[in-house]
Amino acid sequence: KVVASRQGGFRKAMGCGREMDSACPTELRFAINIGFLLALLCLWPDWCMCQAPSVESVHELYEQKQYAEIIRLVPASASNPAELDLYRGLAFAQLQRFSEAKAALEDGERKNPSEERFPVELAGVAYRTHDLAEAQRNLGRALHLDPHDSYALNFLATIYLLRGNVPAALKYWNRIEAPRISQIKESPQPRINEVLLQRAITISPLSTLRLRDFETSDALIGALGIFPNRRWELRPEGSDNYNLVLHSFEEDGWGSNKWNAALSILRGLPYETAYPAYHNMHGSAINFESIVRWDSQKRRVFASVSIPLHMSPKWRLEAYADGRDENWNLTNSFYGAGAPLTALKLRKLEFGAEIRRIENGRWGWQTGGTFSRRTFGKQGAAFGQAGTFFTSGNVLEWNVASDYHLLSIPDRRLTIDSSALGGVGRFFASGGSRRFGRSEGSLSFHWLPQSEGDDYEMNSRFRAGAIIGEVPFDKLYTLGVERDDNDLWLRGISATNDGRKGNSPMGRRYLLWNWDWEKVIYHDAFFELKAGPAIDAGDISDASGAFGSHEWLWDPGAQVSIRVLDTVNVIFSYGRDIRSGQNAFFGTTLP
């Protein structure tokens, strides 16, 4: 209608109305038609850019906060330059029309995918709509385009901080020499000696908090052995500074209260075991831990004391004593000649001490020695080379071990850790002494795929070990589920039969792989339930032929863990031994 009215007005102005068409000269009618077409093109913005505003003029309008005017002048169009889509999206965002802002910015990004401002501004829109995951993804794309964008780095670090991932926040903040720490606080105030705590926290106030210093401080706090559950918070203090706050549950004395103490000490009652422990004696991180087991088939008393050396959390000394009185049934694990070993009595007393050193947040080492004396009671006949496994005598051994974090990607919540152990020893028996050596290694993978919480937690671990030389049979490796005495779990094979140990494969060389994946089923302030599938696979052998699995073992199954009051973790597992077709149900408690 507008075009028609303008056409009529134009023709009348030229003196050529409908009734006079025949009188209009040919040249004049041609000029009128050309003018009409030009007017039509200028009135249709998709056909003619003569009416499109310049980027500079739109920028001025944006500086003047004329957001509605920008939206009026820059309608959605495939012919718009990407810069106009950017300002159109920013204008919508300022007017809190976020869905339209997102659409405009995405239009511009499709036109110019190499411009990092589009994912940055999309992250801003996602942040204002409380979609932190989307904001995090967009900022990651922006930094892929420009790794040195200080605004994007600061923005992404803030997102990780809001999601509770302090290491990831530090990873990106450190690239722009941030954040600056004003004070270091503890909540609640711990009872530990203040000097010892200050030496454990290697971070200096009024300085930039580095990720490596944060990791070292966390490792030293953990090495004290009294802060099993802790959380770090960066709390804003002013415009650019932060306070670093350590939130911790401190184990002090027998427990934080009588209920926690009773739950911790008596958690093993279903399998005739108690775990008396006293932590942080005199506020000096001196810890006492013990195991008392009155099971008639495998009695045990274990006690250890650990102390920091020279009031330094980097050094720790632990000394322990361990006494056992056990009945073994080796019918299913010993293949030597002679009658089955169904009633083997083992009595052992062992003393040991070791020193541990934390070098930094990535690695530490330890070294120590043990002395043990063992005697064997009534047993079935054992002949040939296998008989040396059941010789009474003394063992002196020295070990050196190291732990190292091979890989840590805090923004992916992925860690890969390694450990190695080497040792030498001598077995003193009535027939003389025999030397032996030991080496072990492990590679552990831990991943939390969600940006927050511990849902869908995945763990995988590969371990291998070998013993060279002759040792008593109780120092052989064992693959199977057992409480306190063995951590080389194959969840489809029980290490005991009718309460007696010796039911699972044993040997001097082993390979073991464990994998489990857990989903949070229920969670509240006092109780957490997780469940998921698990797979174990391994092989164990011995050069004598008297022990070993003789083939690979595959044990698929499932695991359920129940965390109670952040004090006790109850584990129930099921595994099926593919080799034998047998099922194994197992339950235990962990601190």
Side-chain angles (χ1 to χ4, degrees), residues 129-187:
T129 57
H130 309 290
D131 190 346
L132 298 183
E134 179 68 17
Q136 181 178 309
R137 287 191 292 270
N138 286 320
L139 289 169
R141 292 191 297 109
L143 289 173
H144 179 74
L145 296 171
D146 184 4
H148 306 291
D149 188 331
S150 59
Y151 177 83
L153 288 168
N154 184 61
F155 194 174
L156 183 57
T158 303
I159 294 295
Y160 278 118
L161 183 63
L162 292 174
R163 308 192 80 181
N165 192 338
V166 175
L170 294 178
K171 173 183 175 179
Y172 290 98
W173 258 327
N174 287 173
R175 290 162 63 175
I176 55 174
E177 297 298 317
R180 186 172 177 81
I181 299 301
S182 295
Q183 300 180 63
I184 302 173
K185 300 180 178 181
E186 297 82 29
S187 178

Side-chain angles (χ1 to χ4, degrees), residues 228-242:
N229 300 308
R230 58 190 181 276
R231 177 178 63 87
W232 296 89
E233 178 191 8
L234 281 172
R235 186 178 297 168
E237 176 71 16
S239 58
D240 298 320
N241 295 340
Y242 290 83

Side-chain angles (χ1 to χ4, degrees), residues 30 66 312 323 344 411 435 476 509 517 571:
F30 178 78
Q66 300 294 319
S312 171
L344 177 62
D411 43 335
R435 292 179 295 178
L476 299 176
R509 291 178 178 83
W517 175 88
I571 304 293

Side-chain angles (χ1 to χ4, degrees), residues 514-531:
N514 304 107
W515 176 89
D516 57 72
W517 175 88
E518 289 186 309
K519 170 84 175 73
V520 176
I521 307 300
Y522 177 81
H523 175 81
D524 60 25
F526 307 100
F527 179 84
E528 182 181 63
L529 172 64
K530 302 169 70 175

Side-chain angles (χ1 to χ4, degrees), residues 189-359:
Q189 186 64 36
R191 301 179 180 88
I192 189 174
N193 183 284
E194 185 176 352
V195 174
L196 189 58
L197 182 62
Q198 289 177 350
R199 291 176 178 177
I201 301 177
T202 61
I203 302 162
S204 300
L206 304 179
S207 66
T208 300
L209 174 57
R210 304 287 180 182
L211 177 57
R212 61 177 179 271
D213 295 331
F214 174 81
E215 291 175 336
T216 298
S217 298
D218 188 65
L220 292 175
I221 290 290
L224 293 172
I226 59 175
F227 297 105
N229 300 308
R230 58 190 181 276
R231 177 178 63 87
W232 296 89
E233 178 191 8
L234 281 172
R235 186 178 297 168
E237 176 71 16
S239 58
D240 298 320
N241 295 340
Y242 290 83
N243 289 333
L244 180 64
V245 184
L246 171 63
H247 300 274
S248 62
F249 171 80
E250 182 182 21
E251 291 185 331
D252 188 76
W254 298 107
S256 58
N257 55 60
K258 62 181 181 181
W259 301 110
N260 278 338
L263 188 60
S264 178
I265 294 172
L266 303 178
R267 67 180 187 270
L269 279 183
Y271 45 92
E272 301 176 277
T273 307
Y275 300 92
Y278 193 93
H279 294 90
N280 200 26
M281 190 179 301
H282 305 303
S284 298
I286 299 175
N287 303 326
F288 167 80
E289 296 181 347
S290 64
I291 300 174
V292 180
R293 186 167 62 208
W294 56 92
D295 185 334
S296 61
Q297 301 295 339
K298 45 182 187 292
R299 298 182 180 91
R300 183 185 181 190
V301 176
F302 169 86
S304 72
V305 176
S306 63
I307 62 173
L309 295 178
H310 304 294
M311 287 292 289
S312 171
K314 290 189 174 183
W315 292 93
R316 194 164 191 87
L317 171 66
E318 180 178 3
Y320 69 88
D322 191 4
R324 302 170 185 253
D325 183 358
E326 301 173 338
N327 297 318
W328 289 66
N329 182 352
L330 300 178
T331 303
N332 296 324
S333 58
F334 178 64
Y335 305 106
L341 299 176
T342 58
L344 177 62
K345 170 74 74 172
L346 168 65
R347 291 188 176 95
K348 184 174 75 170
L349 187 61
E350 181 175 0
F351 301 93
E354 64 180 24
I355 293 176
R356 295 192 292 270
R357 161 80 176 181
I358 303 294
E359 295 292 344

Side-chain angles (χ1 to χ4, degrees), residues 53-54 58 69-77 80-81 84-85 87-88 92:
S54 65
V58 173
E69 183 67 12
I70 293 174
I71 294 172
R72 187 186 69 81
L73 291 175
V74 187
S77 173
N80 281 345
L84 290 182
D85 286 329
Y87 283 110
R88 175 179 167 83
F92 275 126

